[in-house]
Amino acid sequence: MHANADDALQAVRDFTLTRRFNAPRLAVFRAFVEPEHMQHWWAPLGFTMLSCALDLREGGAWRMRIRSDETGAIQTEVGVYREIREPERLSFTHAWVRGNGTLTPTTLVTVRFTERRGGTEVSFHQEDFATVTACRSHEDGWSTSLDKLTAYFGEGTP
């Protein structure tokens, strides 16, 4: 019985989101790695990207600052690229910088880009959450971010 409880607990500490975009695979991939595109969608609904610094190479670091549209609070997220296989796959670590400068527990994000007739399917997977609450919060945040990316491509963006 313990094994089933452990399996159920582990299952809620990762998630996968799938979206289909009416855009070529390379364009969708670049929307994940080029700041001029990322600024339009890389923040949950109700947040705006303030800055984006990328060292786009395996082992290279990335850093984003986002602001709450409601409260004005600024948050910083950081990570390291683990795998960059344009235009098929992107993998990177993700953590938040706390007010005291320490990092939240690091998670791993893997994004797969698959050509589909007339567009691209994205499978966005995030794993290794320390808590169920953190997992749910990220799933909600990324879901609204990907909705923003869908709208961005819907507006005819390359």
Side-chain angles (χ1 to χ4, degrees):
M1 189 150 190
H2 263 261
N4 288 341
D6 289 344
D7 290 345
L9 184 60
Q10 184 60 35
V12 296
R13 292 190 184 205
D14 73 288
F15 65 87
T16 301
L17 300 171
T18 304
R19 293 287 193 286
R20 189 174 190 294
F21 300 97
N22 292 320
R25 182 166 68 158
L26 182 59
V28 177
F29 182 91
R30 289 185 175 161
F32 277 78
V33 298
E34 294 179 354
E36 62 268 25
H37 298 297
M38 296 168 75
Q39 69 183 341
H40 296 281
W41 72 272
W42 186 291
L45 188 62
F47 287 81
T48 302
M49 180 187 286
L50 297 177
S51 65
C52 174
L54 310 175
D55 180 6
L56 191 59
R57 62 182 176 83
E58 291 180 7
W62 63 270
R63 179 181 196 89
M64 317 265 181
R65 290 177 56 236
I66 62 174
R67 180 186 61 230
S68 167
D69 298 338
E70 183 179 329
T71 67
I74 296 174
Q75 298 177 327
T76 302
E77 53 188 312
V78 297
V80 174
Y81 290 105
R82 293 275 180 91
E83 182 180 18
I84 302 168
R85 201 166 52 191
E86 183 178 330
E88 302 151 4
R89 182 179 159 104
L90 182 66
S91 180
F92 54 90
T93 62
H94 182 279
W96 295 96
V97 179
R98 296 183 180 114
N100 65 6
T102 63
L103 298 180
T104 61
T106 300
T107 60
L108 180 65
V109 174
T110 303
V111 187
R112 289 183 173 80
F113 305 84
T114 305
E115 288 184 37
R116 298 284 185 234
R117 271 182 255 152
T120 303
E121 182 179 280
V122 169
S123 173
F124 183 101
H125 183 78
Q126 191 168 7
E127 60 188 309
D128 299 332
F129 286 96
T131 68
V132 172
T133 301
C135 181
R136 287 182 183 152
S137 174
H138 280 80
E139 184 174 13
D140 291 345
W142 282 113
S143 183
T144 64
S145 294
L146 292 173
D147 289 347
K148 288 166 64 174
L149 182 59
T150 300
Y152 181 62
F153 278 114
E155 294 166 3
T157 304

